[in-house]
Coordinates of all heavy atoms in Angstrom, one line a residue:
Chain A
A95 N 5.1 -12.7 -30.8 CA 6.0 -13.6 -30.1 C 5.4 -14.3 -28.9 O 5.7 -15.4 -28.6 CB 7.2 -12.8 -29.7
H96 N 4.5 -13.6 -28.3 CA 4.0 -14.0 -27.0 C 3.4 -15.4 -27.0 O 3.9 -16.3 -26.2 CB 2.9 -13.0 -26.5 CG 2.4 -13.3 -25.1 ND1 1.1 -12.9 -24.7 CD2 3.0 -13.9 -24.1 CE1 1.0 -13.3 -23.4 NE2 2.1 -13.9 -23.0
G97 N 2.5 -15.7 -27.8 CA 1.9 -17.0 -27.9 C 2.9 -18.1 -28.2 O 2.8 -19.2 -27.7
Q98 N 3.8 -17.8 -29.1 CA 4.8 -18.8 -29.5 C 5.8 -19.1 -28.4 O 6.1 -20.3 -28.2 CB 5.5 -18.3 -30.7 CG 4.6 -18.3 -32.0 CD 5.3 -17.7 -33.2 OE1 6.2 -18.3 -33.7 NE2 4.8 -16.5 -33.5
C99 N 6.2 -18.1 -27.6 CA 7.0 -18.3 -26.4 C 6.3 -19.3 -25.5 O 6.9 -20.3 -25.0 CB 7.3 -17.0 -25.7 SG 8.4 -16.0 -26.6
D100 N 5.0 -19.0 -25.2 CA 4.3 -19.8 -24.3 C 4.1 -21.2 -24.8 O 4.3 -22.2 -24.1 CB 2.9 -19.2 -24.1 CG 2.9 -17.9 -23.3 OD1 4.0 -17.6 -22.6 OD2 1.9 -17.1 -23.3
S101 N 3.8 -21.3 -26.1 CA 3.6 -22.6 -26.7 C 4.8 -23.5 -26.7 O 4.8 -24.6 -26.4 CB 3.1 -22.3 -28.1 OG 2.7 -23.6 -28.7
I102 N 6.0 -22.9 -27.0 CA 7.2 -23.6 -27.1 C 7.5 -24.2 -25.7 O 8.0 -25.3 -25.5 CB 8.4 -22.7 -27.5 CG1 8.3 -22.4 -29.0 CG2 9.7 -23.4 -27.2 CD1 9.1 -21.3 -29.5
E103 N 7.1 -23.4 -24.6 CA 7.4 -23.9 -23.3 C 6.2 -24.7 -22.7 O 6.2 -25.0 -21.5 CB 7.7 -22.7 -22.4 CG 8.9 -22.0 -22.8 CD 9.2 -20.7 -21.9 OE1 8.5 -20.5 -20.9 OE2 10.1 -19.9 -22.3
Q104 N 5.3 -25.0 -23.6 CA 4.1 -25.8 -23.2 C 3.3 -25.2 -22.0 O 2.9 -25.9 -21.1 CB 4.5 -27.2 -22.8 CG 5.4 -27.9 -23.9 CD 4.7 -29.0 -24.6 OE1 4.1 -29.9 -24.0 NE2 4.8 -28.9 -25.9
I105 N 3.3 -23.9 -22.0 CA 2.5 -23.2 -21.0 C 1.1 -23.5 -21.2 O 0.5 -23.3 -22.3 CB 2.8 -21.7 -21.0 CG1 4.3 -21.4 -20.9 CG2 2.0 -21.0 -20.0 CD1 4.9 -21.7 -19.6
T106 N 0.4 -23.9 -20.1 CA -1.1 -24.2 -20.3 C -1.9 -22.9 -19.9 O -2.8 -22.6 -20.5 CB -1.5 -25.3 -19.4 OG1 -1.1 -25.1 -18.1 CG2 -1.0 -26.6 -19.9
Y121 N -3.9 -13.6 -29.9 CA -3.0 -14.6 -29.3 C -3.5 -16.0 -29.8 O -2.7 -16.8 -30.2 CB -3.1 -14.5 -27.8 CG -2.4 -15.5 -26.9 CD1 -1.2 -15.2 -26.3 CD2 -2.9 -16.7 -26.6 CE1 -0.5 -16.0 -25.5 CE2 -2.2 -17.6 -25.8 CZ -1.0 -17.3 -25.3 OH -0.4 -18.2 -24.4
I125 N -1.9 -18.9 -32.7 CA -1.7 -20.3 -32.2 C -2.5 -21.3 -33.1 O -2.0 -22.3 -33.6 CB -2.1 -20.5 -30.8 CG1 -1.0 -20.0 -29.9 CG2 -2.4 -22.0 -30.4 CD1 -1.2 -20.1 -28.4
L128 N -0.8 -21.4 -36.7 CA 0.4 -22.1 -36.6 C 0.3 -23.5 -36.2 O 1.2 -24.3 -36.4 CB 1.3 -21.4 -35.6 CG 2.4 -20.3 -36.0 CD1 2.2 -19.8 -37.4 CD2 2.4 -19.2 -35.0
N129 N -0.9 -23.8 -35.7 CA -1.2 -25.2 -35.3 C -0.2 -25.7 -34.3 O 0.4 -26.8 -34.4 CB -1.3 -26.2 -36.5 CG -2.0 -27.5 -36.1 OD1 -2.7 -27.5 -35.1 ND2 -1.6 -28.5 -36.8
I130 N 0.1 -24.9 -33.3 CA 1.1 -25.3 -32.3 C 0.4 -25.5 -30.9 O -0.8 -25.3 -30.8 CB 2.2 -24.1 -32.1 CG1 1.5 -22.8 -31.8 CG2 3.0 -24.1 -33.4 CD1 2.5 -21.6 -31.7
F131 N 1.2 -25.9 -29.9 CA 0.6 -26.2 -28.6 C -0.3 -25.1 -28.1 O 0.1 -23.9 -28.1 CB 1.7 -26.4 -27.6 CG 1.2 -26.8 -26.2 CD1 0.9 -28.1 -25.9 CD2 1.1 -25.8 -25.3 CE1 0.4 -28.4 -24.6 CE2 0.6 -26.1 -24.0 CZ 0.3 -27.4 -23.7
P132 N -1.5 -25.5 -27.8 CA -2.6 -24.5 -27.5 C -2.5 -23.9 -26.1 O -3.3 -24.2 -25.2 CB -3.9 -25.2 -27.7 CG -3.5 -26.6 -27.3 CD -2.1 -26.8 -27.7
S133 N -1.5 -23.0 -25.9 CA -1.5 -22.2 -24.6 C -2.7 -21.4 -24.6 O -3.2 -21.0 -25.6 CB -0.2 -21.4 -24.6 OG 0.9 -22.2 -24.5
R134 N -3.1 -21.1 -23.4 CA -4.3 -20.2 -23.2 C -3.9 -19.0 -22.3 O -3.2 -19.2 -21.3 CB -5.5 -20.9 -22.6 CG -6.2 -21.9 -23.6 CD -7.0 -21.1 -24.7 NE -7.5 -22.0 -25.7 CZ -6.9 -22.2 -26.9 NH1 -5.8 -21.6 -27.2 NH2 -7.5 -23.0 -27.7

Side-chain angles (χ1 to χ4, degrees):
Chain A
H96 185 204
Q98 289 173 70
C99 291
D100 290 344
S101 187
I102 288 166
E103 296 177 9
Q104 309 250 312
I105 303 292
T106 54
Y121 179 100
I125 282 182
L128 264 15
N129 194 26
I130 54 180
F131 180 83
S133 294
R134 287 287 175 263

